[in-house]
Amino acid sequence: MNSGSLVVIVGPMYSGKTSELISFIEIYTLGKKKIKVFKPKIDYRYNNTQIVSHSKSAVDAIAITKPKEILTYLQGNENAVFIDEVQFLDETLREVVLQMIESGIDVYCAGLDLSFKANPFIVTALLMAHADNIIKKKAVCHECGEYRGTLTYKFVGNGDEIDIGGFDKYIAVCRDCYLKLKQKNE
Ligand SMILES: Nc1ncnc2c1ncn2[C@@H]1O[C@H](COP(=O)(O)OP(=O)(O)O)[C@@H](O)[C@H]1O
Ligand SMILES: Cc1cn([C@H]2C[C@H](O)[C@@H](COP(=O)(O)O)O2)c(=O)[nH]c1=O
Ligand SMILES: [Zn+2]
């Protein structure tokens, strides 16, 4: 039996991470492969039984609190496992993902690489270190309109780096616009 591979999809908010994950899910589904899709329970924006992109495409998913729960859902015949919003899961996700890859499962993870403070989410960084392929997505910068958005700027609320939200709190921006907004507002 061959090992599986790890693909990690990262970028700022609105950059198409969930859409890209859903595209891979479609490829496996078209090939009649056995898959499981997971998401952290903390992300209650839409519902707890689906992953949903900002453009509203959706796929059924199992909501989990701890990475180890993923293993309890596996039946031993899965070809691939998909996990969205990995930044909300703890760092034991690394061991769980490695265990799945070693048992021949392809694993696809999507999540934020950086918080709105431009600090790395450690769990994402760990997964990127083990990845066979990293897909770094960009968004359209909300300020200048260029397709160079690599950061997320938070314009309301507290300083918490875990804070669920969407257009009510966050915009995607390029580095220049991020620095300009920070200088203007801090
Ligand atoms: N600033 C933006 N740049 C690019 N896409 C955006 C932007 N704002 C909204 N969108 C929409 O968001 C969709 C991507 O959503 P999604 O896959 O959920 O991204 P992510 O998971 O990275 O937040 C795009 O297809 C587009 O319709
Ligand atoms: C930047 C940033 C975002 N979040 C939250 C906000 C959303 O609920 C998700 C990201 O969703 P998306 O699918 O990538 O659009 O994460 C956060 O908690 N902390 C942050 O710094
Ligand atoms: Zn910009």
Side-chain angles (χ1 to χ4, degrees), residues 4-7 21-37 78-82 104-108:
S5 63
L6 173 61
V7 175
L21 196 69
I22 290 173
S23 299
F24 282 116
I25 291 171
E26 281 170 1
I27 289 166
Y28 279 78
T29 307
L30 283 167
K32 302 203 177 358
K33 308 288 188 211
K34 299 273 183 239
I35 65 158
K36 290 255 163 35
V37 184
E78 285 81 6
N79 301 108
V81 162
F82 300 85
I105 301 172
D106 292 334
V107 180
Y108 292 79

Side-chain angles (χ1 to χ4, degrees), residues 12-13 112 114-116 150-154 170-173 178:
M13 288 182 68
L112 294 169
L114 297 170
S115 76
F116 73 93
T150 52
L151 292 158
T152 310
Y153 184 79
K154 186 177 182 182
Y170 297 103
I171 51 174
V173 285
Y178 181 85

Side-chain angles (χ1 to χ4, degrees), residues 13 17 45 54 85 88 112 115-116 161-163 165 170:
M13 288 182 68
K17 302 182 298 298
R45 267 178 307 173
H54 289 288
E85 306 280 12
F88 293 138
L112 294 169
S115 76
F116 73 93
E161 282 178 293
I162 296 289
D163 186 11
Y170 297 103

Side-chain angles (χ1 to χ4, degrees), residues 116 154-160 163 168-169:
F116 73 93
K154 186 177 182 182
F155 53 88
V156 290
N158 53 33
D160 289 352
D163 186 11
D168 54 328
K169 290 180 191 158

Side-chain angles (χ1 to χ4, degrees), residues 18 21 25 35-41 43 48-52 59-75 78 80-86 89 93 96-97 100 105-110:
T18 300
L21 196 69
I25 291 171
I35 65 158
K36 290 255 163 35
V37 184
F38 297 94
K39 59 178 277 186
K41 217 166 243 169
D43 188 4
N48 253 332
T49 57
Q50 287 185 318
I51 59 169
V52 185
V59 166
D60 289 346
I62 301 165
I64 52 157
T65 310
K66 292 275 173 203
K68 281 208 162 59
E69 286 171 49
I70 292 173
L71 300 174
T72 69
Y73 285 99
L74 299 186
Q75 294 167 308
E78 285 81 6
V81 162
F82 300 85
I83 314 165
D84 201 10
E85 306 280 12
V86 290
L89 291 168
L93 181 60
V96 170
V97 164
M100 289 191 284
I105 301 172
D106 292 334
V107 180
Y108 292 79
C109 294

Side-chain angles (χ1 to χ4, degrees), residues 11-20 45 52-55 84-85 137-142 147 167 172:
M13 288 182 68
Y14 319 113
S15 61
K17 302 182 298 298
T18 300
S19 306
E20 185 91 30
R45 267 178 307 173
V52 185
S53 76
H54 289 288
S55 52
D84 201 10
E85 306 280 12
K137 307 286 292 181
K138 287 179 296 178
V140 175
C141 174
H142 187 269
Y147 185 44
F167 296 112

